[in-house]
Amino acid sequence: MKRISISCLLLLIALGVSAAGLDDLIKQAGSEYAKGNATASLATLGIALSTNPTASAAKRSLSDAYTEIGVKEYDRKNYKNAFECFKNAVKLYPSNQLATKYFWKMKGEMNVDALRNEADEAAQKSPPVPQGADLLGEQQAG
């Protein structure tokens, strides 16, 4: 019974993905990333990747989306996310020069098996500073 439920769920997800279209999924991933939700963005690109695009233009679009997010994650020092993005981008479209450059740079300079998302870890360790804290200190001093 459990297998049938899971199979039905996967079928519904697959039908939803084909109906949404690759371009819509790429736009949705970009929108999620712009909101600061890298995890949801990468999950959406993963769904798009699972549609197994065969057209060269579709592969290139998806590769470009992975590359764009990968560069941003690399700049944020989220190296694990960045490497996965570049790996998927190169796999989809090996002619993507920017993704290839970053992929081989990371593979040559870093231990790719032990990559971490440093920015995410730092954000989890440090508590947020209340916004009014600086204003209170300035008012008392002034």
Side-chain angles (χ1 to χ4, degrees):
M1 184 68 175
K2 190 174 186 179
R3 287 184 183 174
I4 294 172
S5 299
I6 292 173
S7 298
C8 290
L9 179 63
L10 291 174
L11 179 63
L12 290 173
I13 290 171
L15 290 174
V17 167
S18 63
L22 185 64
D23 290 336
D24 291 338
L25 288 171
I26 291 172
K27 287 177 187 173
Q28 182 180 354
S31 152
E32 286 293 331
Y33 193 83
K35 292 177 190 173
N37 196 347
T39 305
S41 176
L42 294 175
T44 303
L45 287 180
I47 292 170
L49 181 63
S50 71
T51 64
N52 296 320
T54 54
S56 181
K59 287 182 177 184
R60 185 175 187 160
S61 294
L62 190 52
S63 176
D64 289 344
Y66 268 116
T67 302
E68 183 179 339
I69 290 175
V71 169
K72 291 175 184 174
E73 288 294 283
Y74 184 88
D75 290 344
R76 292 182 58 216
K77 298 185 187 213
N78 283 336
Y79 297 121
K80 184 176 181 179
N81 287 352
F83 185 74
E84 289 301 315
C85 285
F86 298 134
K87 183 171 77 172
N88 286 330
V90 170
K91 189 186 301 183
L92 278 165
Y93 197 74
S95 299
N96 185 328
Q97 293 178 352
L98 185 59
T100 301
K101 174 186 150 192
Y102 273 98
F103 175 80
W104 287 111
K105 176 182 179 180
M106 291 180 78
K107 196 154 174 91
E109 295 176 1
M110 301 176 180
N111 178 3
V112 295
D113 294 327
L115 292 174
R116 298 184 343 242
N117 291 327
E118 295 176 16
D120 288 347
E121 289 174 5
Q124 289 175 353
K125 288 181 184 176
S126 62
V129 177
Q131 291 180 344
D134 291 338
L135 295 174
L136 293 175
E138 289 176 13
Q139 289 175 352
Q140 291 173 354

